Amino acid sequence: MAIKNPLNNFQWLIDLNGIPAERCQVVTAPKVEFAEHIQGSQGTETDTKTAGKKKVGDLVIEVVIPDTGDQGLWDLFEKAQTLQKDQYAGDGMLYEIGPNEQPSQSFIIEDAWIKSIESGNYETKQDNSDNQTRTITLSVKDYRRANA
């Protein structure tokens, strides 16, 4: 689907404890869906489908690593071993910014914690090869639209 006016394209801002927003390059919001329950019917009648438990996927963020390193991300990741969620999990927000530079929609990120860190390729043939990136995958308890 094409953008009607590329100059009015939406932007975003993430505010999540321990993740430096100014270094975030790409954010993939969690997939949110309801499990489907199917109640069978006898004969040739169509089965009845009803909503079940809400399922929330992972939040994925690609960040640029500064020249000074990213010890803070690794420290937050390692805290998961303490099994004390108040030390390694946190809440936050994802904002969609409209063409007037004001948030148009906001989404609540609840109880997020870093479950994996993946380094980008180590290569020197790209134009931006001086920018090392990491992909941070966060487990999220809930992701929902904030009430306006």
Side-chain angles (χ1 to χ4, degrees):
M1 182 174 163
I3 298 172
K4 290 181 184 177
N5 182 351
L7 296 176
N8 289 335
N9 194 8
F10 283 78
Q11 301 298 316
W12 52 272
L13 172 67
I14 191 160
D15 178 14
L16 188 59
N17 190 24
I19 308 294
E22 69 277 3
R23 291 180 15 217
C24 294
Q25 301 294 299
V26 178
V27 173
T28 304
K31 179 181 178 179
V32 182
E33 65 181 324
F34 286 102
E36 181 179 72
H37 294 284
I38 299 174
Q39 292 81 35
S41 301
Q42 292 183 353
T44 59
E45 288 293 318
T46 305
D47 291 337
T48 301
K49 300 177 183 179
T50 57
K53 186 181 239 183
K54 183 178 179 181
K55 299 189 300 185
V56 179
D58 293 332
L59 172 67
V60 180
I61 303 173
E62 184 177 310
V63 297
V64 171
I65 306 306
D67 294 340
T68 57
D70 60 347
Q71 188 61 45
L73 284 176
W74 287 98
D75 290 345
L76 189 57
F77 174 70
E78 295 293 334
K79 286 183 180 180
Q81 294 183 57
T82 67
L83 301 179
Q84 297 177 11
K85 272 198 165 182
D86 61 328
Q87 290 186 19
Y88 66 87
D91 300 334
M93 297 290 291
L94 176 65
Y95 302 98
E96 290 179 350
I97 309 297
N100 60 359
E101 298 185 12
Q102 297 296 317
S104 61
Q105 289 193 97
S106 303
F107 296 88
I108 297 167
I109 302 166
E110 186 178 320
D111 210 7
W113 54 275
I114 299 175
K115 74 179 210 178
S116 72
I117 298 177
E118 180 181 352
S119 294
N121 292 331
Y122 297 112
E123 59 181 286
T124 57
K125 61 184 180 180
Q126 291 182 346
D127 291 340
N128 63 348
S129 61
D130 58 331
N131 293 329
Q132 178 61 36
T133 62
R134 299 215 202 288
T135 301
I136 312 300
T137 303
L138 296 106
S139 176
V140 177
K141 178 182 177 186
D142 199 7
Y143 180 80
R144 63 188 182 280
R145 186 174 183 274
N147 293 332

